[in-house]
Amino acid sequence: MIITCPECDTKYRYDEARFGGADVKLVKCTSCQHSFEVRNPLDEPSNATSIGKMFQDLPKNVEAPDVEPEPEVPELPELAPLPKDQRFSLAVIAGSQAGSVFPITKPRVYLGRGSTMDVQVKDSEVSRRHAMLEVRKGTVVLVDMGATNGTWVGGERAEEAEISNQGEFTLGSTTLMLIITGGATG
């Protein structure tokens, strides 16, 4: 089916299978970043036929809007729960969100510009799915997820790095600091 952004009139080809039985889906326009609802055409059979005919002559190269899936990396091992005697958070110390603090409430969190990320970094230099932070048996590990502009620790690009309490790292033009309170904060 073809959908149109009500804000900028950009048209996209949208696969009806994405509804998965839902009546409505929320999509985000890649041109203007406007979020809008799309109704499942299968709920209205008479409309589905007429809409399909109306747009059958559109070019085949129209791309689907950027619908951000939940982060999924099925091969990652399950992590132990966060230690009950410690609290973890990320403080933004440089960038457009400076002063913001994000609590870490699970042992694996995803960081990036995408709206489905656990820590959404509003920085155009940050990839939608930029990095992940894992709390692994007393250590905190930062893992780059193939981000275009990389993940930087101590002025060097890092694929994976251990971050200690008050350790800093940079995604795009945003610098974050890990803060661990309670327990042993090595």
Side-chain angles (χ1 to χ4, degrees), residues 4-163:
T4 304
C5 173
E7 196 70 24
C8 69
D9 292 325
T10 300
K11 290 183 177 18
Y12 300 97
R13 186 171 304 281
Y14 189 81
D15 184 6
E16 290 96 329
R18 288 182 166 182
F19 284 99
D23 296 332
V24 176
K25 280 290 191 177
L26 185 65
V27 296
K28 188 176 194 179
C29 177
T30 55
S31 295
C32 71
Q33 306 302 313
H34 176 72
S35 294
F36 60 98
E37 290 183 346
V38 176
R39 295 212 167 274
N40 188 341
L42 300 178
D43 288 343
E44 302 165 8
S46 61
N47 286 345
T49 306
S50 61
I51 290 172
K53 287 179 183 175
M54 189 168 33
F55 291 107
Q56 69 187 8
D57 295 330
L58 279 178
K60 301 287 188 228
N61 63 351
V62 176
E63 292 182 19
D66 182 24
V67 178
E68 298 170 16
E70 288 296 318
E72 63 177 72
V73 184
E75 298 178 24
L76 292 178
E78 191 169 324
L79 297 172
L82 293 175
K84 294 192 183 299
D85 64 336
Q86 290 182 311
R87 294 188 192 270
F88 300 83
S89 57
L90 290 174
V92 180
I93 59 174
S96 65
Q97 291 173 285
S100 299
V101 176
F102 299 97
I104 304 301
T105 58
K106 53 189 182 179
R108 179 179 292 122
V109 295
Y110 293 90
L111 297 85
R113 195 180 74 241
S115 61
T116 62
M117 296 295 100
D118 299 306
V119 176
Q120 187 179 18
V121 181
K122 297 176 182 174
D123 178 341
S124 62
E125 295 178 30
V126 171
S127 295
R128 281 187 178 86
R129 190 169 158 179
H130 199 103
M132 74 176 163
L133 201 65
E134 293 184 329
V135 180
R136 305 176 186 164
K137 297 181 183 176
T139 61
V140 179
V141 178
L142 177 68
V143 180
D144 181 87
M145 298 187 70
T148 303
N149 292 323
T151 300
W152 298 80
V153 179
E156 294 184 21
R157 192 169 184 152
E159 296 298 316
E160 186 170 307
E162 188 173 319
I163 307 293

